[in-house]
Amino acid sequence: MKNLMLVLYAAGLFACTNSRNYAQAVCALVDVSGTYADQKADVVNVIKRGILPKLMPGDSLYVIRIDDESYRKDNVEADLNLDVRPSRANAQKLAFARKLEDFARRPQRARHTDIRGAMMLGAEYLKETGAGTRTLVVFSDMEEDLPKGVKRDLASDEFAGMRVLAMNVKKLNADNANPTAYRARLASWKQQVTSHGAKEFQVVLEPDRLDDLLDRR
């Protein structure tokens, strides 16, 4: 009897681990600094229409605010770990969408832009899920501006095994005058995240492409 219990316990552990291998975890980072703060309602719509519907029972989604100092638990605007029961998962999605709508309506405009702090926090949440596919989706102009005294050093494996998607990167006035500056900024981010473990960095210009990208498990 004891041996049978051990076999059943081991089988349960294997089933749980196997299911996590097929799960997907996504963390959306939303910039509320400078001119990008005006994009918040549009970003929330992209999350609601382009990410939330793609999630299956067992998947996870986090929304983190990029502001002056983003490496804080309070910067998590909403989190979702979908129940394996489809009926319960649908109710969770509706509740999550309402949280996002509240976030979109709340006036916010940070003076500084701590992108790496938000990425570090998001990476920690993604790792904790144990999901087989982990993706950071960054909605920002990707121009970091840290407040005085704030320091961000990425660990060598900070984004191990993750994909990083730079979504809807807003061009600055200087970028329109000199597109090379825009391209150089994105190239710098690609080098930075891939050298700290990310398996991919991709700039996504069209929200509709999220469907295909999030289908790649």
Side-chain angles (χ1 to χ4, degrees):
M1 182 67 178
K2 184 177 180 180
N3 288 338
L4 177 60
M5 293 298 293
L6 288 173
V7 170
L8 292 174
Y9 176 71
L13 285 178
F14 176 79
C16 181
T17 301
N18 196 46
S19 66
R20 296 312 299 159
N21 286 339
Y22 289 99
Q24 176 167 214
V26 180
C27 183
L29 311 179
V30 184
D31 195 340
V32 298
S33 68
T35 58
Y36 209 94
D38 298 331
Q39 309 294 312
K40 188 164 64 165
D42 293 335
V43 170
V44 164
N45 280 333
V46 172
I47 296 172
K48 286 171 56 181
R49 298 173 183 175
I51 299 178
L52 192 57
K54 302 297 297 183
L55 302 183
M56 306 292 289
D59 289 349
S60 303
L61 174 60
Y62 304 89
V63 175
I64 292 176
R65 184 178 70 256
I66 298 174
D67 58 13
D68 301 281
E69 293 185 47
S70 308
Y71 186 67
R72 299 176 299 190
K73 190 173 182 179
D74 289 347
N75 278 58
V76 179
E77 290 287 347
D79 62 281
L80 175 66
N81 295 287
L82 285 175
D83 197 287
V84 293
R85 295 167 294 180
S87 60
R88 174 62 182 147
N90 287 335
Q92 288 177 296
K93 285 185 177 183
L94 289 173
F96 188 85
R98 286 192 289 269
K99 286 185 179 180
L100 291 182
E101 289 161 4
D102 290 341
F103 171 48
R105 286 191 292 265
R106 193 163 67 248
Q108 290 172 308
R109 190 180 298 276
R111 295 179 61 188
H112 299 278
T113 315
D114 177 17
I115 298 174
R116 278 176 295 171
M119 294 177 78
M120 292 165 73
L121 182 63
E124 290 176 1
Y125 277 96
L126 292 181
K127 289 174 183 176
E128 190 174 52
T129 67
T133 302
R134 291 168 285 176
T135 308
L136 279 170
V137 185
V138 189
F139 295 87
S140 173
D141 58 21
M142 303 306 291
E143 178 74 11
E144 187 168 66
D145 172 33
L146 296 179
K148 185 177 180 180
V150 172
K151 187 177 181 181
R152 301 294 183 230
D153 292 323
L154 301 174
S156 60
D157 63 346
E158 193 77 52
F159 310 116
M162 300 179 192
R163 296 182 299 172
V164 179
L165 307 179
M167 183 80 211
N168 194 31
V169 180
K170 185 175 181 179
K171 294 182 176 66
L172 306 173
N173 289 334
D175 297 331
N176 294 320
N178 180 15
T180 302
Y182 168 77
R183 294 172 180 173
R185 186 164 72 255
L186 294 178
S188 175
W189 278 104
K190 180 176 182 178
Q191 190 280 330
Q192 187 168 191
V193 299
T194 54
S195 66
H196 290 85
K199 64 181 182 180
E200 179 184 355
F201 176 86
Q202 186 170 348
V203 178
V204 184
L205 300 178
E206 295 297 332
D208 292 345
R209 291 199 57 218
L210 270 178
D211 277 355
D212 292 336
L213 292 170
L214 295 179
D215 272 337
R216 288 165 42 196
R217 301 206 183 199

